[in-house]
Amino acid sequence: MSSAENNRPMIFFDFDGTIIDMTERWWQLHLDVAKVLKLPQYEQRADYIFQKRNGVPEISIMQKIAGNIETIKDYEQERVRRIELPEYLLYDKLFFDSIATLRTLGRQGHALVIITKRRSQEAFNQQLNQLGLQTYFQNVLVAEGISKQILLAQNYTADELKQSMFVSDNMEDIEIAWKFGMLDIAAGYGCRTSEFLASSGAKNIISSLADVLSYV
């Protein structure tokens, strides 16, 4: 039975920072790429992660300790090249309540959909399988270079989207939800803090994934 048939809203989830904690991947990438390019490294993981979660761009973070713009550009390019490599994806961890929340939503009859900006459908499916998540989602949409807005419009009707929810820690996703008339839920526990999301205009901010249950 579909969500529409049992009057349950379809729920779209961003992945990185919403279902999984990717902060350790951030940190290991920073250490490795800075080392390879012989750039300074942050000594305190907490300081680096604090800046990232409060919306400071990676290039600005590095400029504070490295200074050389050209070298920093090399750093960012190498970081992007590595960020989805299997050895770094292994650092990702499920948030403590991810499985229980997805299981509960599924039992309630919601159709659950992942939509991610990842570049490789195959690599993403492999990670889903490794994390034991493949059975929880009716559909998995991987952007592979196109925008999430286009991806949603290609796969769902305006009416379907208007009756659905979008859960994400990314303000770009929240703004996409507004454009489609979806209920937007901002994950303030993920890659961005609640304070950053609120200052950017998010209204429905949750402190853990399980808080989604109060919106359905």
Side-chain angles (χ1 to χ4, degrees):
M1 182 180 292
S2 70
S3 292
E5 289 171 338
N6 60 23
N7 296 316
R8 298 286 188 179
M10 191 183 314
I11 306 176
F12 293 84
F13 291 93
D14 178 42
F15 192 70
D16 295 332
T18 304
I19 303 296
I20 60 161
D21 181 352
M22 63 177 298
T23 52
E24 186 61 22
R25 176 162 35 127
W26 278 349
W27 178 239
Q28 295 300 327
L29 277 163
H30 164 67
L31 294 177
D32 290 354
V33 175
K35 182 178 180 180
V36 165
L37 296 179
K38 297 181 171 55
L39 292 172
Q41 299 170 321
Y42 264 85
E43 294 183 1
Q44 297 296 325
R45 180 185 186 278
D47 180 47
Y48 172 82
I49 298 300
F50 176 82
Q51 292 184 72
K52 291 280 289 182
R53 294 193 68 232
N54 281 280
V56 181
E58 185 81 22
I59 199 165
S60 298
I61 292 174
M62 285 305 295
Q63 191 171 4
K64 293 178 182 178
I65 61 172
N68 187 314
I69 286 292
E70 292 305 316
T71 306
I72 293 171
K73 289 179 180 178
D74 292 340
Y75 168 93
E76 179 62 10
Q77 290 173 355
E78 181 63 14
R79 181 179 178 275
V80 170
R81 187 188 73 79
R82 293 184 183 215
I83 196 167
E84 292 183 26
L85 294 178
E87 57 263 41
Y88 290 102
L89 295 178
L90 289 174
Y91 289 109
D92 293 343
K93 302 295 181 185
L94 288 165
F95 285 111
F96 75 96
D97 54 355
S98 292
I99 293 292
T101 302
L102 295 173
R103 183 181 294 123
T104 298
L105 291 169
R107 287 174 176 170
Q108 290 177 348
H110 298 278
L112 309 181
V113 180
I114 282 287
I115 179 166
T116 176
K117 287 180 71 175
R118 296 284 188 90
R119 299 190 299 269
S120 168
Q121 179 90 49
E122 181 180 0
F124 186 68
N125 287 340
Q126 288 176 355
Q127 187 178 27
L128 283 183
N129 290 335
Q130 290 168 355
L131 293 170
L133 294 174
Q134 68 277 13
T135 61
Y136 293 101
F137 297 101
Q138 182 188 70
N139 200 2
V140 175
L141 303 176
V142 179
E144 294 187 302
I146 67 172
S147 73
K148 288 185 180 179
Q149 184 172 339
I150 292 174
L151 196 58
L152 286 171
Q154 288 176 342
N155 286 273
Y156 296 95
T157 68
D159 285 343
E160 286 175 324
L161 294 173
K162 192 173 183 179
Q163 297 174 40
S164 66
M165 301 164 54
F166 198 159
V167 186
S168 177
D169 66 333
N170 187 322
M171 277 307 301
E172 290 181 10
D173 291 347
I174 300 302
E175 291 169 2
I176 289 171
W178 295 342
K179 290 175 182 177
F180 285 118
M182 306 164 80
L183 174 61
D184 57 287
I185 300 178
Y189 55 86
C191 293
R192 298 291 179 258
T193 64
S194 295
E195 293 77 13
F196 175 83
L197 292 167
S199 70
S200 301
K203 302 298 182 185
N204 306 308
I205 303 174
I206 57 177
S207 59
S208 71
L209 187 61
D211 291 343
V212 169
L213 298 173
S214 66
Y215 287 87
V216 297

